[in-house]
Amino acid sequence: MLKKFFMNMLSSFVGAWLALVLFGVVATLVCIGIVAKLGVSGAESKSVSKGSILTIELSGPIEERETPLDFDYFSMLRGDISRPQTLSGLVKAIGEAKNNKNIDAIYLKCKGVSASLATLNRLRDAVAEFRKSGKKVIAYGDSYGMGDYYVASVADDVYLNPGGSVAIQGIGSSSMYLKGLFDKIGVSYQVVKVGTFKSAVEPFIMNEMSEPARAQLDTLYGYMWDVVRSGIADSRKNVTAAGIDSLVGRDFIFLEPAITSLKAGLVDKMYYERSMDSVIAKTLGKDKEKLNFVSPSLLVGQSDWGSEYSSKNQVAVVYATGEIVDGGSSSTINYEKLVPVITDLADNDKVKGMVLRVNSPGGAVFGSEQIGEALDYFQSKGKTLAVSMGDYAASGGYWISCCADRIFADPLTITGSIGIFGLIPNASELAGKLGVHPQFVSTNPHAQFPSLWKPMNETQLAAMQKMVERGYDKFVARVAKGRKMPESKVRVIGEGRVWSAKKAMEIGLVDSLGSLEDAVKWVAGKAGISDYGVAAYPTIESTMWDMIPELENMKASEALEAALSGDYDKLMVKFAMSVLRQKPVQARMPMIDVRFSDSPL
């Protein structure tokens, strides 16, 4: 028996040692590959010679700005080490191309972009602005997804593969309501909230969408579709907004062959991709063999915008992107890291003003409050603060925005959601299913409140409700002060409701429809500086991946997965665990994802 024990221990040790060695070998090889890849791309051999063409591939996700890569072992094994394109980089490259005399055209290669509406709209506006220089924009797609086509429709010439299609389908989203899942595993939720429309809690306590939640989404999506549909119609000859509705609702254009899109005026001609070099050469009056295609990264490297840290007249652009959390990764807003950045800029004499670029659905109330206070400190120094809203600036995202001197939003920004909720899980039934029986000993009746392992009583629930209402009162007061409106009006337009940017401007939550660049120019004007530099914060620092956070809840995940008896996959388990780890009180908008990411048929 003892011999068997030592043999098992030795085999486990040897196995672990071999796995460690294997990991080291694989990691080393992958890192070498990464360095080589980055070395090649960083030292791009092409130059922006006369007659160059900026090539933009509309494929994969588009993030707000570049962030450090968060590597993990399994992603590396899959070879998933690519860095997504960024809106800031693409817009910068297009702006540089417009003013660069060696750039003759933009070539949009449409291959299935995944981005939210405001991101796509800003990219589309940048391409339209490029066209004003008199330079050509040419778009090609084997097939066009909705997002691809919305951007491409502003081009001079839109070409489609004869075997492809144009997948215009309208705007919609789906939400997963998870009460049934949590019932199966023995987890329930007690909710305290303020706001009829504060529907972020619904997926955890209901199996279907409430009427208020459905009504606000109907209104929001209707407005967004009007913007997208009108934009396409205005850009395409002989195409009307009503005609687009007919193509979508009656003709199922996304299921029709390429010739149907050609006849409808959605595209100009049909070509196979192998012919596009000849088509581009003919359009520009050049020799096909002498075409010089350059990447956005090459042009971004020639622009100082966002990196002028030594400027004595500096407009700081501070990015607040992702959910507001305590801690978190590079894709979230960690107030512990962001607050010092803001206060340092407040004390920096070179910084004359700031644009806070907000792309956030909200998150932790405490973190939102800390960021808001830091921004107040910045303004107390007599410096101008503007906010530029991206895809979302809602709930906690609006909390940190509302006291700015001026708020700019994209026409397709989602904002508002002024409300707070508390979502307190109760896993006592789950514990029973796992054979776990929590026992409690305390000096006071509420010493272990709230607890994951027993439900709140009426007294405790009332106390939680009071705390949430107090937080909502603070939210309302902040909005009223920042937007210079009575608290009574804020309460009417609050209630957790999300608004389109246009409606938000009508009711006083937003000042102007405009871009990040518009906000920067406004801040410079208010600061009285004509010769200024733009610097982006937080500065980007390269990091190695950290596997510890992924492993810290492994045992809990395994137990939860066992309780499911194989009925649900690991992704749902991971999601459930992430919910259980959330802070109980949140200022977060409901789950709204109108990202265009589906591949065309």
Side-chain angles (χ1 to χ4, degrees):
M1 192 72 176
L2 190 61
K3 179 180 179 182
K4 184 176 181 181
F5 168 76
F6 280 114
M7 288 298 292
N8 287 337
M9 184 177 71
L10 181 61
S11 63
S12 297
F13 173 78
V14 172
W17 183 81
L18 288 174
L20 186 61
V21 172
L22 178 61
F23 172 80
V25 172
V26 173
T28 301
L29 291 175
V30 172
C31 288
I32 291 172
I34 293 171
V35 171
K37 183 175 181 180
L38 294 177
V40 171
S41 61
E44 190 171 349
S45 59
K46 286 194 175 183
S47 61
V48 186
S49 58
K50 188 173 179 59
S52 294
I53 301 160
L54 172 61
T55 303
I56 297 175
E57 288 200 5
L58 294 179
S59 63
I62 298 177
E63 297 184 350
E64 179 68 36
R65 74 175 296 213
E66 190 174 276
T67 58
L69 285 174
D70 291 327
F71 284 118
D72 66 77
Y73 176 59
F74 299 104
S75 294
M76 293 175 71
L77 286 179
R78 292 196 304 266
D80 184 15
I81 59 174
S82 61
R83 186 183 292 277
Q85 295 188 93
T86 65
L87 178 62
S88 60
L90 291 173
V91 169
K92 189 189 298 186
I94 294 170
E96 183 69 17
K98 177 187 175 184
N99 299 318
N100 192 316
K101 62 182 181 180
N102 289 332
I103 297 291
D104 283 355
I106 287 179
Y107 178 33
L108 300 175
K109 297 180 70 173
C110 301
K111 296 184 175 182
V113 71
S114 175
S116 295
L117 289 171
T119 292
L120 293 171
N121 196 58
R122 178 65 191 102
L123 183 58
R124 189 178 192 271
D125 285 346
V127 174
E129 189 66 26
F130 173 89
R131 282 190 61 193
K132 291 180 181 179
S133 65
K135 300 177 181 181
K136 287 283 188 179
V137 177
I138 300 165
Y140 171 83
D142 284 335
S143 282
Y144 288 96
M146 185 71 194
D148 295 330
Y149 186 75
Y150 182 53
V151 177
S153 63
V154 78
D156 295 279
D157 302 303
V158 180
Y159 300 124
L160 174 64
N161 189 299
S165 63
V166 178
I168 301 178
Q169 294 180 258
I171 294 173
S173 67
S174 60
S175 301
M176 297 296 107
Y177 276 60
L178 304 170
K179 183 177 183 298
L181 167 65
F182 288 115
D183 286 346
K184 284 182 179 292
I185 65 176
V187 175
S188 60
Y189 285 89
Q190 292 172 288
V191 174
V192 287
K193 69 169 185 171
V194 180
T196 303
F197 295 91
K198 199 65 180 175
S199 55
V201 300
E202 287 189 0
F204 307 104
I205 61 173
M206 299 170 63
N207 284 323
E208 59 183 29
M209 190 178 292
S210 69
E211 285 305 314
R214 188 174 296 278
Q216 73 169 340
L217 291 184
D218 280 343
T219 301
L220 181 67
Y221 292 168
Y223 164 76
M224 288 180 158
W225 176 237
D226 285 343
V227 173
V228 171
R229 179 186 57 183
S230 298
I232 294 172
D234 291 343
S235 299
R236 301 298 302 162
K237 296 177 182 178
N238 303 319
V239 175
T240 65
I244 292 173
D245 275 335
S246 180
L247 288 170
V248 172
R250 185 195 65 191
D251 299 332
F252 291 90
I253 187 65
F254 53 94
L255 297 177
E256 290 295 308
I259 189 64
T260 305
S261 295
L262 178 64
K263 290 179 179 178
L266 296 178
V267 300
D268 296 298
K269 289 183 180 179
M270 296 187 296
Y271 290 106
Y272 290 100
E273 186 174 9
R274 59 180 170 76
S275 303
M276 284 308 300
D277 281 3
S278 298
V279 172
I280 293 171
K282 183 177 180 181
T283 301
L284 300 179
K286 299 181 179 298
D287 186 339
K288 184 179 74 170
E289 304 303 323
K290 295 183 180 180
L291 292 178
N292 185 43
F293 296 97
V294 298
S295 69
S297 61
L298 190 59
L299 289 178
V300 167
Q302 298 187 2
S303 173
D304 292 329
W305 198 98
S307 59
E308 299 174 86
Y309 299 102
S310 61
S311 173
K312 295 182 179 180
N313 289 325
Q314 188 182 132
V315 176
V317 175
V318 177
Y319 286 86
T321 303
E323 292 189 21
I324 301 171
V325 299
D326 302 338
S329 67
S330 58
S331 61
T332 60
I333 303 171
N334 181 351
Y335 81 88
E336 294 176 331
K337 292 184 177 180
L338 188 59
V339 165
V341 170
I342 295 170
T343 54
D344 286 348
L345 293 175
D347 296 332
N348 188 336
D349 291 337
K350 294 191 296 184
V351 176
K352 309 303 181 184
M354 179 201 299
V355 177
L356 183 69
R357 174 65 174 181
V358 181
N359 199 339
S360 172
V365 171
F366 184 79
S368 302
E369 187 174 4
Q370 302 312 300
I371 296 169
E373 191 280 330
L375 293 168
D376 293 343
Y377 175 71
F378 182 90
Q379 290 175 290
S380 74
K381 296 291 187 175
K383 298 183 179 184
T384 301
L385 171 66
V387 161
S388 169
M389 294 179 168
D391 299 315
Y392 311 97
S395 206
Y398 193 76
W399 184 308
I400 66 177
S401 301
C402 63
C403 286
D405 298 299
R406 193 165 188 84
I407 297 176
F408 294 79
D410 186 273
L412 290 170
T413 294
I414 297 174
T415 189
S417 194
I418 300 168
I420 295 177
F421 68 87
L423 192 66
I424 300 91
N426 168 32
S428 57
E429 186 180 342
L430 171 62
K433 289 184 177 184
L434 298 175
V436 176
H437 303 282
Q439 302 295 300
F440 304 95
V441 178
S442 59
T443 59
N444 299 84
H446 309 304
Q448 294 174 301
F449 156 69
S451 171
L452 179 64
W453 305 113
K454 60 181 178 180
M456 294 185 294
N457 59 39
E458 290 186 4
T459 301
Q460 293 169 337
L461 194 60
M464 286 292 294
Q465 181 66 41
K466 185 177 180 181
M467 181 188 71
V468 168
E469 289 176 357
R470 190 166 57 247
Y472 182 63
D473 290 342
K474 187 182 293 186
F475 198 166
V476 168
R478 181 170 179 81
V479 174
K481 177 185 176 182
R483 303 311 298 160
K484 297 178 175 57
M485 64 173 67
E487 287 192 17
S488 57
K489 182 179 178 182
V490 178
R491 292 183 185 276
V492 171
I493 61 181
E495 290 289 327
R497 181 159 188 167
V498 294
W499 302 96
S500 68
K502 181 180 178 182
K503 188 64 179 179
M505 191 166 66
E506 293 175 4
I507 60 180
L509 296 180
V510 166
D511 296 303
S512 302
L513 299 181
S515 66
L516 170 61
E517 292 73 21
D518 292 330
V520 168
K521 291 177 183 177
W522 184 85
V523 167
K526 286 289 288 184
I529 51 176
S530 56
D531 183 16
Y532 61 92
V534 179
Y537 298 90
T539 54
I540 299 172
E541 298 178 0
S542 299
T543 63
M544 290 297 290
W545 73 98
D546 183 4
M547 292 184 64
I548 302 302
E550 293 295 324
L551 298 175
E552 65 180 348
N553 288 290
M554 182 65 75
K555 295 299 181 183
S557 295
E558 289 173 354
L560 186 55
E561 187 176 359
L564 291 174
S565 301
D567 290 339
Y568 293 86
D569 62 26
K570 292 182 180 180
L571 288 177
M572 293 301 286
V573 174
K574 186 176 181 181
F575 173 76
M577 291 307 302
S578 71
V579 172
L580 292 175
R581 293 196 298 269
Q582 285 180 359
K583 294 289 184 180
V585 181
Q586 298 274 316
R588 183 199 306 270
M589 66 176 278
M591 296 178 185
I592 300 175
D593 188 359
V594 288
R595 179 181 297 267
F596 286 147
S597 59
D598 292 337
S599 298
L601 295 174

